[in-house]
Amino acid sequence: MNEVIEKLDFTVAIPTYNGAKRLPQVLDLLLKQTGIEKLDWEIIIIDNNSNDNTNEVIEYYQKSYSQNISLKCFLEKKQGIAFARIRAISEARGEFIAFVDDDNLPANDWVSQSYNFGKEHPQAGAWSGQIHGDFEVSPPENFNRIQAFLAIREHGLEPYLFDADNLRLPPGAALVVRKKAWCESVPEELVFKGRLSKLMVSGDDTEALLYLHKAGWEIWYNPAMHIDHKIPHWRLEKDYLLVLARGCGLCIFQLRLINAKNWQKPILLIKTILGNLRRVLQHLIKYRGQFKSNLIALFEINFYWASMMSPFYSLRWKLDKIFKKAITQND
């Protein structure tokens, strides 16, 4: 006899890797949520191969919960945030699924604001709110120009639809999705798996959202949802930021192909190369002699350069895939 799975209103899914020190603050804030008295919801943690005492922390909270909230943990052995989120989708029982990273600190009404928005916008496949930076050290001058790359989003007080056609989309952190929309629209296997290699190629968040957009679902900004994103000092250091800039750039062309028609692809190729070449040259002229002292300008030119090279990275990825498939068939 098949087990009947109880459907819930809302799931908070927390992907984590070695999050023993970060998880308690997140879980404590989720336990203090307001306006959820009539909500049937759960918290699930996706442990992505942690080797610290994450499991002990989770067991402690499972035993100490006094509220009627289900807290479960699932081990996802495939490394990468994309695999962790896909596992969360399969395990979640909620109509809406919220991805909260283990360094995201939700406001006390974040769950209720997220749930209410989804109910009020039935065509919304995904929605996200304001993400504020909680910095361990002061960010560099003009950091606001690149803060979106670190999942900090403060876009004003009015709701609006994100511009998916121009890749202006929210990050996967603090994102809420409609489970039905995801299951019907997003492939089981995504091209981008998360920042796994030394290149730290990103794009997994945007890739999933583009498939939702392609299927006709709306993607919204809801300013009533507030989360603080903890930014440790090392995420503001030069070495990390430059790798991040290149990783965010290398995925650009492959992402643009998702919603492109065949006749548009050669045009996109030319625009990606020439458009970013123009930006690189403009930055070289504008900031000549300043790149050693201006970290933000250096970040931007690395992002433009990697974006310009992204068609070649996409070609390399496709060739690797063909090569691996050929080896598998021969075996």
Side-chain angles (χ1 to χ4, degrees):
M1 182 179 294
N2 292 331
E3 181 183 357
V4 177
I5 299 176
E6 179 189 3
K7 293 184 179 180
L8 303 178
D9 298 317
F10 200 83
T11 296
V12 175
I14 309 174
T16 189
Y17 172 71
N18 289 346
K21 293 182 179 179
R22 299 183 296 275
L23 276 172
Q25 193 172 6
V26 182
L27 292 172
D28 287 341
L29 288 170
L30 288 172
L31 285 175
K32 296 175 183 176
Q33 292 294 299
T34 59
I36 44 81
E37 293 77 16
K38 296 182 180 180
L39 206 64
D40 291 326
W41 66 298
E42 66 177 351
I43 301 170
I44 62 174
I45 298 172
I46 310 299
D47 183 353
N48 204 191
N49 297 312
S50 298
N51 52 35
D52 63 355
N53 63 326
T54 291
N55 192 56
E56 295 174 20
V57 171
I58 296 169
E59 288 179 352
Y60 168 80
Y61 275 88
Q62 286 174 323
K63 293 175 182 177
S64 63
Y65 265 30
S66 59
Q67 300 187 35
N68 187 26
I69 304 172
S70 170
L71 172 60
K72 295 181 179 179
C73 179
F74 302 94
L75 175 65
E76 177 49 60
K77 294 185 177 181
K78 293 181 180 178
Q79 200 70 43
I81 188 69
F83 291 117
R85 288 184 177 141
I86 290 172
R87 178 67 182 275
I89 292 287
S90 68
E91 301 292 353
R93 295 179 291 160
E95 177 185 4
F96 307 143
I97 304 169
F99 297 118
V100 175
D101 288 354
D102 60 17
D103 57 3
N104 294 168
L105 308 180
N108 287 349
D109 64 347
W110 191 83
V111 169
S112 62
Q113 292 288 359
S114 303
Y115 177 76
N116 292 338
F117 190 87
K119 282 298 185 182
E120 293 164 3
H121 296 78
Q123 290 304 311
W127 52 100
S128 181
Q130 300 199 54
I131 307 176
H132 312 287
D134 182 358
F135 299 99
E136 183 180 5
V137 298
S138 297
E141 186 179 358
N142 295 320
F143 175 75
N144 62 302
R145 283 173 22 198
I146 67 165
Q147 67 178 10
F149 291 91
L150 280 85
I152 298 172
R153 304 294 172 101
E154 298 165 321
H155 294 167
L157 302 178
E158 296 296 326
Y160 68 84
L161 283 169
F162 281 99
D163 183 7
D165 291 331
N166 289 301
L167 302 187
R168 296 190 180 101
L169 289 165
L175 179 74
V176 187
V177 301
R178 191 179 301 271
K179 182 169 182 176
K180 177 179 184 292
W182 181 292
C183 292
E184 291 178 353
S185 310
V186 180
E188 292 185 5
E189 183 175 353
L190 297 173
V191 171
F192 300 106
K193 316 299 184 187
R195 297 166 183 158
L196 295 174
S197 67
K198 292 182 180 180
L199 291 174
M200 274 181 61
V201 178
S202 59
D204 47 291
D205 303 342
T206 303
E207 183 181 3
L209 289 172
L210 286 172
Y211 280 111
L212 287 173
H213 173 66
K214 187 176 184 178
W217 291 97
E218 297 173 347
I219 302 168
W220 280 87
Y221 168 71
N222 173 21
M225 296 160 53
H226 292 267
I227 266 190
D228 289 336
H229 182 194
K230 295 184 73 67
I231 308 292
H233 67 90
W234 54 268
R235 285 192 176 179
L236 298 175
E237 293 173 357
K238 178 180 176 180
D239 289 346
Y240 175 85
L241 286 175
L242 294 188
V243 174
L244 176 66
R246 296 165 194 149
C248 289
L250 286 173
C251 64
I252 291 296
F253 182 69
Q254 184 66 36
L255 291 173
R256 291 194 180 280
L257 291 180
I258 291 174
N259 287 324
K261 297 179 174 61
N262 285 333
W263 65 267
Q264 294 174 316
K265 293 178 181 180
I267 299 172
L268 282 175
L269 174 64
I270 295 170
K271 287 179 67 175
T272 299
I273 294 174
L274 295 184
N276 284 289
L277 176 60
R278 174 178 58 81
R279 295 183 183 97
V280 168
L281 294 175
Q282 286 176 338
H283 249 54
L284 285 172
I285 294 169
K286 184 175 181 179
Y287 297 103
R288 183 175 52 188
Q290 299 181 39
F291 289 110
K292 288 186 177 180
S293 59
N294 191 331
L295 180 56
I296 303 305
L298 185 60
F299 180 102
E300 290 170 332
I301 198 170
N302 272 269
F303 172 70
Y304 297 146
W305 176 262
S307 298
M308 183 178 71
M309 300 302 294
S310 64
F312 305 102
Y313 180 83
S314 178
L315 176 61
R316 173 190 163 187
W317 172 82
K318 288 178 181 177
L319 291 174
D320 284 346
K321 188 176 181 180
I322 293 171
F323 182 68
K324 290 176 182 177
K325 184 177 180 180
I327 291 177
T328 303
Q329 289 176 343
N330 288 332
D331 290 345

